[in-house]
Amino acid sequence: MMEQSRIAQSIGIALDRFIKNNQEQFQYASGELSQLLRDLALASKVVNREIGKAGLIDIMGSQGSQNSGGEEQQKLDVLANIRFTRALSKGGEVCALISEETESYVDLNNEGKYVIAIDPLDGSSNIDVNVSIGTIFSVYRRKSPEGTPIQDIDILQKGSEQVAAGYILYGSSTMLVYTTGHGVNGFTYEPTLGEYFLSHPDLSMPEDGKIFSINEGSYNSFNSSIKEYLMYCKEKSFVARYIGSLVADFHRNMLKGGIYIYPATAKDKNGKLRLMYECNALAFIAEQAGGKATNGRDRILEIQPITLHQRTPFYVGSKKMVEKAESF
Ligand code: FDP
C-alpha cells in the first residue's frame, strides 16, 4: 500500500463523490440539492474556461450596459450570468434565481424546490487586469407550495434560512468552497481531469488574526469608529491587504486570519455590498468556519431583506477581530 501511494499519489475525493457521500447530512435529503450543487460546479467550470481565455478572445471590457445597481456590466459578467442561469434552469430544481445582473428575479420552474441568489462574477473591476475574481451563491428552500407561482416569502428570506452557500474563486488555482450547515469544505479544480477535488477539508477560520482588508481610499468618509479601529490596527502593526475582490479577500482571511470591512461611506450610506448575493453566503460560510459576520452591530444572517438588491455594511472574518472592530 505504502509503495503504491509513493508511485501514484492519491488525488483525493472528487466533488461529486463528496456531495453524494454527505447527502444524508441534509435534512431534506432527496438528491435535488446535490444535483443543484453539481449544476453550479459545472457552470463554474465553463466560466473558468472562459476566464482563462480572456485576453485571447473578445470577452474583456465593458458590455455597454448596466446591472441592477447601475454599475457598468463587463462582458464576462454577462457571460457568467448566462452560464449559471442556463445550468440552473436545465436542472429543474430551481424555481427562482436572484442575480446581481438582473433587476427582478428570474422565474425558472414552478415545480422547483429551491431559490438561488447569485453574484455570477464578483470583483468585475479586476477582470481586465488578471486579478482573482469569484462567484458567490446562496441556496434557499422555497416556502410556498411546489407547483404554485413564486411569492415574496420565497424570495426575501433571511440569511439564516440558507440551506447551502458557497463561492468559487478563480485565482492562481480555481477553488469551490461550500457549506450545507455542517462545516465548510474547499475543493481545488484539476483542469486536466476537469474535476474539483477535496483539498481543504473541514475549513476553520483562525479565531484571531492580523490582516485587515478595507479600501482606505474612502478614509475621509468613514465614521469615527472605523477611523479609530484603523488607527488601532496600525498601532498594532497589523498587515493591510486589499485585493478589491471580495471572494479573494475573504478566502485569504479565512485561511490566514483577518477581517474584511466594507463600511458605510459618504457615497454608499448603507455600504456597497449586497446582502442577498454577496454578504449572506459569506456570512454563513464564516460562521460555519468559526468566524463572525455583522453589519457593525447586528448579525448579517438575521437581517430581513426588504428588497432584492439591498446593500449593507459588512464586517466579516476572524471572530475576535470582528468583535474588536465592533467595540469601537
Ligand atoms: P466590484 O465592484 O469590482 O465588483 O462586490 C463588489 C466589489 O467589487 C467587491 O468584490 C469588492 O470587495 C468591492 O466591490 C470593491 O469596492 P471598492 O472598489 O469600492 O473598494
Side-chain angles (χ1 to χ4, degrees):
M1 210 56 186
M2 263 291 270
E3 181 64 8
Q4 274 188 15
S5 62
R6 208 166 48 82
I7 297 170
Q9 221 183 33
S10 161
I11 46 173
I13 307 172
L15 176 66
D16 277 7
R17 169 158 311 162
F18 184 88
I19 290 173
K20 192 161 171 284
N21 288 353
N22 290 281
Q23 193 166 295
E24 311 74 52
Q25 283 183 343
F26 184 57
Q27 61 167 313
Y28 311 100
S30 62
E32 280 147 319
L33 180 70
S34 303
Q35 184 54 44
L36 202 162
L37 291 169
R38 284 196 287 266
D39 293 342
L40 285 162
L42 176 63
S44 78
K45 292 180 197 175
V46 181
V47 171
N48 182 58
R49 188 191 63 187
E50 308 290 334
I51 291 170
K53 288 191 293 194
L56 293 175
I57 54 176
D58 183 27
I59 50 170
M60 298 219 297
S62 162
Q63 164 83 4
S65 50
Q66 294 182 334
N67 68 12
S68 57
E71 291 142 355
E72 188 83 353
Q73 278 182 314
Q74 305 296 307
K75 287 181 195 163
L76 264 169
D77 281 334
V78 177
L79 185 147
N81 193 44
I82 295 171
R83 292 292 183 195
F84 280 101
T85 309
R86 199 177 281 165
L88 292 168
S89 53
K90 280 202 177 130
E93 301 88 14
V94 181
C95 53
L97 184 74
I98 302 156
S99 166
E100 174 168 39
E101 303 307 326
T102 47
E103 186 66 44
S104 178
Y105 65 83
V106 183
D107 228 326
L108 287 181
N109 169 19
N110 279 347
E111 302 299 328
K113 289 193 181 115
Y114 295 96
V115 174
I116 305 277
I118 191 165
D119 184 350
L121 212 54
D122 182 70
S124 329
S125 47
N126 285 318
I127 293 173
D128 287 359
V129 288
N130 215 348
V131 172
S132 300
I133 44 185
T135 295
I136 307 173
F137 61 88
S138 291
V139 184
Y140 297 87
R141 270 182 80 86
R142 70 180 295 170
K143 294 203 174 259
S144 61
E146 288 155 43
T148 62
I150 298 304
Q151 301 177 24
D152 277 359
I153 48 162
D154 302 315
I155 300 293
L156 297 173
Q157 299 194 45
K158 285 185 191 172
S160 56
E161 315 239 36
Q162 291 170 100
V163 293
Y167 60 80
I168 296 115
L169 171 60
Y170 310 97
S172 44
S173 61
T174 297
M175 279 195 72
L176 187 152
V177 175
Y178 83 95
T179 182
T180 54
H182 299 273
V184 181
N185 289 285
F187 299 79
T188 300
Y189 185 58
E190 214 295 15
T192 58
L193 298 173
E195 275 289 0
Y196 285 101
F197 289 94
L198 182 64
S199 53
H200 296 64
D202 210 7
L203 272 168
S204 69
M205 195 179 258
E207 207 186 0
D208 208 351
K210 290 190 168 17
I211 298 174
F212 64 106
S213 316
I214 184 168
N215 183 348
E216 267 198 273
S218 306
Y219 185 85
N220 284 342
S221 70
F222 292 159
N223 64 31
S224 56
S225 58
I226 293 283
K227 288 179 177 168
E228 280 162 30
Y229 177 67
L230 290 177
M231 199 58 80
Y232 164 84
C233 290
K234 289 169 191 180
E235 276 160 11
K236 291 270 181 193
S237 300
F238 283 178
V239 180
R241 291 283 183 273
Y242 189 72
I243 299 169
S245 246
L246 175 60
V247 175
D249 279 311
F250 175 85
H251 184 73
R252 182 206 49 242
N253 291 354
M254 180 157 73
L255 297 187
K256 295 193 163 182
I259 185 170
Y260 173 99
I261 305 179
Y262 207 111
T265 62
K267 184 166 153 257
D268 295 306
K269 301 261 181 302
N270 293 316
K272 177 185 178 189
L273 302 181
R274 311 307 181 125
L275 175 65
M276 293 211 62
Y277 41 80
E278 293 182 312
C279 304
N280 273 340
L282 299 186
F284 188 21
I285 293 168
E287 288 193 5
Q288 283 293 314
K292 193 168 179 184
T294 73
N295 62 1
R297 202 186 52 215
D298 305 316
R299 188 174 169 229
I300 289 289
L301 297 183
E302 288 302 330
I303 300 175
Q304 174 63 55
I306 311 292
T307 60
L308 285 187
H309 302 287
Q310 187 167 324
R311 298 175 194 264
T312 177
F314 195 38
Y315 295 55
V316 66
S318 295
K319 193 159 176 279
K320 285 194 172 158
M321 288 189 88
V322 174
E323 282 165 359
K324 187 74 189 173
E326 282 177 323
S327 73
F328 278 82

